[in-house]
């Protein structure tokens, strides 16, 4: 009976946490900040906010947008501001863990009752769970892979389906370049798009085991052969000069627009590239759906990584410390399947809420959702998983590898040194 009483008390506490909004809602403002520049997604956020307000008199939900890189740079300052957002966009990983340690985000374990928790894919909820406590509300999943322009591939005589190995990719790059087309578009100015190559190669070479061993400080850590070889193979690609002129100054939005304008044959990106491509291409449409293809990052001969392993994100929302209870109540409403089916149908992103997968209309997004569901291991982006300081080093060495300013062994050693510095102070 004692266990039943305890469970009942917990359920009552959670219900009071959410229902108390009615008594406290007068003149309450909830500020949500996001980084998605897709106008359709922004319109969806605003629509959900207005519908929530209609059933919560006295509550105002303000939707604020800040460009991706500006958001990352200003986040620490924002969190110290008296006007800080109540709901933050989060990539999870090490940055979230640091925010939890700093005490700037709320523990959502109480308001997120069993029914709410069970509405998410288990892997998505786990990404926002630390030491058994839930700190975030999952939003979307992503997989990094190669989007390609079917017309430009056909012009070069390249069959995307035949790109199975790293050597196949190098061969395709040479053929595309010989056809007079820029093989790959990349936003090198933001650095993180280049880290997709180094981290993906490490995933294919060493698999889950290599990354987890490095995080645990085993052997040479991130200076081990897996990460050195990743740099060596990456420079095999960069030696071919595959990127567009001025790629080191191009931001992610600019590079997405360049790809959408047909200025390069392919781009290695996450699925939000689709929305960014539309927003930044000259015609605001980008490559038509029937002319756009996708293929996964290729395998590496002799690699220990499973070719079905995926690299990407499990993104979501965090609630900042001291925010009104209505912030969590809004996120509960926001994450209802009936609401999340809307972006699924529009192709805005891939929701992680159960009961939305069948609504994904875009064929590429549907494929990515299936890929992540089938993968035995989903690697979160290195620059997020390893935390902000180590992640910055990962992004820096990726640029230095691409430009030939750093040797593969030195790049891997730099990441290991950064990892050791952070963990020696924890």
């Amino acid at each position: 009976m004692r266990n039943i009483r305890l469970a009942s008390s917990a359920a009552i506490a959670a219900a009071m946490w959410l229902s108390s909004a009615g008594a406290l809602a007068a003149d309450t403002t909830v500020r949500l900040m996001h980084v998605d520049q897709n106008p359709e997604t922004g319109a969806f956020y605003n629509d959900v906010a207005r519908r929530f307000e209609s059933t919560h008199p006295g509550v105002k939900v303000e939707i604020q947008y800040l460009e991706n890189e500006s958001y990352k740079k200003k986040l620490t300052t924002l969190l110290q501001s008296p006007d800080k957002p109540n709901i933050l966009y989060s990539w999870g990983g090490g940055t979230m863990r640091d925010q939890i340690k700093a005490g700037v985000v709320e523990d959502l374990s109480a308001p997120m009752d069993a029914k709410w928790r069970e509405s998410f894919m288990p892997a998505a909820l786990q990404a926002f769970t630390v030491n058994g406590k839930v700190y975030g509300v999952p939003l979307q999943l992503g997989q990094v892979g190669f989007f390609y322009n079917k017309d430009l591939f056909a012009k070069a005589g390249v069959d995307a389906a035949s790109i199975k190995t790293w050597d196949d990719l190098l061969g395709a790059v040479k053929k595309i370049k010989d056809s007079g087309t820029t093989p790959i578009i990349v936003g090198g100015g933001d650095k993180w798009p280049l880290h997709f190559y180094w981290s993906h190669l490490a995933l294919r070479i060493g698999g889950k085991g290599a990354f987890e061993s490095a995080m645990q400080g085993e052997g040479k850590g991130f200076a081990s052969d897996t990460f050195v070889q990743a740099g060596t193979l990456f420079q095999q690609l960069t030696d071919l000069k595959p990127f567009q002129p001025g790629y080191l100054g191009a931001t992610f939005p600019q590079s997405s627009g360049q790809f959408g304008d047909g200025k390069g044959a392919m781009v290695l990106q996450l699925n939000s590239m689709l929305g960014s491509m539309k927003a930044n291409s000259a015609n605001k449409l980008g490559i038509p759906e029937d002319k756009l293809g996708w293929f996964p990052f290729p395998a590496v001969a002799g690699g220990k990584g499973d070719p079905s392993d995926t690299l990407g994100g499990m993104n979501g929302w965090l609630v900042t410390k001291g925010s009104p209870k209505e912030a969590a109540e809004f996120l509960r409403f926001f994450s209802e399947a009936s609401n999340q089916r809307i972006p699924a149908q529009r192709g805005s992103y891939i929701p992680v809420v159960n009961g939305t997968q069948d609504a994904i209309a875009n064929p590429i997004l549907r494929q990515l959702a299936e890929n992540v569901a089938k993968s035995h291991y989903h690697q979160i982006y290195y620059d997020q998983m390893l935390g902000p300081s180590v992640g910055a080093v990962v992004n820096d060495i990726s640029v230095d590898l691409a430009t030939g300013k750093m040797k593969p062994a030195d790049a891997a050693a730099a990441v290991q040194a950064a990892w050791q510095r952070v963990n020696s102070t924890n």
Side-chain angles (χ1 to χ4, degrees):
M1 287 297 294
R2 182 174 181 274
N3 288 339
I4 294 175
R5 285 196 297 271
L6 285 173
S8 298
S9 298
I12 292 170
M16 290 177 65
W17 206 97
L18 289 165
S19 65
S20 60
L24 301 175
D27 300 321
T28 297
T29 298
V30 174
R31 292 181 295 275
L32 177 150
M33 183 167 284
H34 70 95
V35 299
D36 198 318
Q37 67 173 173
N38 184 353
E40 288 187 358
T41 305
F44 164 69
Y45 291 162
N46 283 313
D47 174 63
V48 176
R50 301 295 82 80
R51 287 190 284 111
F52 178 80
E53 291 170 348
S54 70
T55 57
H56 294 73
V59 179
K60 174 67 175 176
V61 180
E62 295 181 355
I63 306 297
Q64 304 169 341
Y65 163 76
L66 190 60
E67 188 276 327
N68 189 303
E69 291 306 300
S70 296
Y71 176 79
K72 292 176 182 176
K73 292 174 183 176
K74 296 178 180 178
L75 188 54
T76 300
T77 303
L78 284 169
L79 288 171
Q80 296 170 346
S81 167
D83 296 321
K84 64 187 176 186
N86 304 112
I87 300 173
L88 296 173
Y89 189 87
S90 174
W91 291 268
T95 299
M96 180 185 71
R97 292 196 301 269
D98 287 350
Q99 291 165 343
I100 293 169
K101 194 178 299 182
V104 296
V105 296
E106 290 281 4
D107 175 359
L108 300 178
S109 301
M112 190 172 283
D113 58 24
K115 183 178 179 181
W116 192 6
R117 295 185 190 204
E118 290 169 2
S119 70
F120 298 106
M121 296 177 185
L125 187 63
Q126 186 58 41
F128 288 90
T129 303
V130 177
N131 297 327
K133 297 179 179 180
V134 179
Y135 287 94
V137 177
L139 169 67
Q140 61 171 299
L141 63 84
Q143 180 187 0
V144 176
F146 282 100
F147 294 84
Y148 70 95
N149 185 316
K150 292 181 179 179
D151 285 346
L152 294 181
F153 264 49
K155 174 187 172 184
V158 174
D159 177 12
S162 68
I163 302 176
K164 302 295 186 184
T165 68
W166 182 248
D167 287 340
D168 292 337
L169 178 66
L170 297 180
V173 165
K174 292 174 185 175
K175 290 184 70 173
I176 294 169
K177 195 167 186 179
D178 288 343
S179 73
T181 298
T182 295
I184 303 174
I185 297 291
V186 69
D190 284 338
K191 298 185 178 181
W192 58 264
L194 283 166
H195 110 281
F196 289 154
Y197 290 90
W198 187 73
S199 52
H200 235 137
L201 283 164
L203 177 64
R204 292 290 185 257
I205 295 165
K208 176 182 179 181
F211 183 77
E212 293 189 340
S213 293
M215 287 191 72
Q216 293 164 10
E218 297 175 0
K220 295 182 179 179
F222 289 102
S224 70
D225 290 344
T226 287
F227 303 96
V228 175
Q229 189 182 353
T232 299
L233 295 187
F234 182 30
Q235 289 188 332
Q236 286 182 352
L237 173 66
T238 58
D239 284 347
L240 299 177
K241 308 297 182 186
F243 306 131
Q244 80 275 24
Y247 77 93
L248 288 173
T251 63
F252 164 61
Q254 289 170 339
S255 64
S256 299
Q258 290 171 342
F259 177 71
D261 290 336
K263 295 182 178 179
M266 55 183 149
V267 58
L268 179 64
Q269 262 301 342
L270 62 160
N271 27 291
S272 65
M273 193 281 302
L274 291 173
S276 185
M277 175 184 71
K278 291 181 179 179
N280 293 286
S281 58
N283 63 5
K284 303 302 178 185
L285 296 173
I287 301 171
E289 190 173 289
D290 63 332
K291 299 292 186 180
L292 184 66
W294 186 94
F295 64 92
F297 197 91
V300 171
K304 297 179 181 178
D306 187 325
S308 70
D309 288 345
T310 51
L311 181 142
M314 288 287 184
N315 304 348
W317 307 108
L318 305 179
V319 175
T320 56
K321 204 75 171 180
S323 291
K325 295 183 173 82
E326 290 82 1
E329 188 173 357
F330 172 70
L331 288 177
R332 183 173 188 134
F333 175 73
F334 180 92
S335 59
E336 289 179 359
S338 59
N339 285 323
Q340 290 303 300
R341 288 179 67 85
I342 297 171
Q345 292 166 343
R346 294 177 179 174
S348 300
Y349 58 80
I350 304 172
V352 292
V353 173
N354 295 323
T356 61
Q357 286 69 41
D358 66 304
I360 300 174
N362 183 285
I364 291 179
L365 293 184
R366 189 164 58 247
Q367 179 184 350
L368 302 189
E370 292 171 357
N371 291 347
V372 176
K374 293 176 183 176
S375 68
H376 297 294
Y377 178 58
H378 185 66
Q379 172 65 61
I380 302 299
Y381 315 115
Y382 277 17
D383 64 337
Q384 295 299 326
M385 191 65 186
L386 297 176
S389 58
V390 183
V393 174
V394 169
N395 291 338
D396 286 343
I397 65 100
S398 297
V399 174
D400 289 340
L401 284 168
T403 58
K405 292 181 179 179
M406 186 172 269
K407 295 180 179 179
D410 295 334
V415 176
Q416 175 61 14
W419 181 250
Q420 287 180 321
R421 279 195 301 273
V422 168
N423 287 279
S424 65
T425 57
N426 290 338

